[in-house]
Amino acid sequence: LECRLREEVLRRPLGLPLSERDRIGEENQLHFGLFESGKELVACAVVVRLSPAEARIRQMAVSPLHQRKGLGQRLMAGIERDLRARSFTTLVLNARKSAVGFYEKLGYTEVGEEFVDLTVPHVKMSKSVRPG
C-alpha cells in the first residue's frame, strides 16, 4: 500500500517508477501512515536515522483524493511526536520547492542551496525538536 501511494503521488507525475533499487534499506527505516476507515492508506512517510540525534523524513505523500484536508500536517505532527520520544533532536528533509511553504508552516527552515533531484527542484530543510 505504501509503495503504491508513494509511486502514485511522487513518481508517476515524473514518469519515474519506484523501483526495488529505490527501496533498498527501507526495511531498517521507520514507516508512518494515516489510514481512513482503518484500511485505506491516505498519507505516508519514511524516516531514516542519520545519527542518535538526527533523523531524515523522506517520501512524504498524501493521496490526491485526500489532499488539502490537513492530513499532511497530522501525519507530520505524529512523526515529530514519535521521533521526539525516540530522543531525536534534529529533523531534516529534502522538500520539493513546491512544498517549502507547507514545511515552513510546520516550523522547518531552509538550510542550504536549491538542488535538483529526480528532475525536481528541492531544498534541504531542518527543524530542532526537544525530546519528551
Side-chain angles (χ1 to χ4, degrees):
L1 293 174
E2 178 190 3
C3 288
R4 265 189 291 186
L5 179 58
R6 288 165 44 201
E7 184 162 25
E8 174 189 1
V9 173
L10 302 173
R11 293 302 191 93
R12 195 172 298 143
L14 304 177
L16 301 170
L18 186 65
S19 70
E20 290 290 325
R21 186 169 179 244
D22 294 322
R23 297 191 306 261
I24 292 173
E26 285 190 352
E27 66 277 0
N28 299 316
Q29 298 171 7
L30 299 171
H31 297 258
F32 295 86
L34 288 178
F35 293 84
E36 184 178 80
S37 305
K39 58 186 171 210
E40 181 190 1
L41 181 66
V42 295
C44 64
V46 180
V47 175
V48 180
R49 178 187 179 110
L50 300 176
S51 75
E54 186 176 37
R56 180 168 59 97
I57 301 167
R58 56 184 289 275
Q59 295 281 299
M60 207 280 234
V62 176
S63 167
L65 296 175
H66 298 278
Q67 291 178 0
R68 307 236 183 266
K69 296 179 181 178
L71 297 177
Q73 290 178 345
R74 225 171 86 203
L75 177 63
M76 289 297 291
I79 290 170
E80 290 177 11
R81 272 192 309 275
D82 183 275
L83 297 177
R84 270 194 300 273
R86 294 173 190 260
S87 298
F88 288 102
T89 57
T90 303
L91 307 180
V92 297
L93 54 86
N94 293 333
R96 291 180 180 195
K97 282 296 281 186
S98 60
V100 166
F102 167 79
Y103 292 111
E104 285 177 333
K105 288 178 187 172
L106 299 178
Y108 290 80
T109 56
E110 294 185 33
V111 292
E113 298 295 317
E114 184 176 313
F115 62 96
V116 175
D117 186 27
L118 298 173
T119 74
V120 179
H122 284 72
V123 65
K124 184 175 180 179
M125 301 188 81
S126 179
K127 181 177 182 177
S128 293
V129 295
R130 294 277 180 245

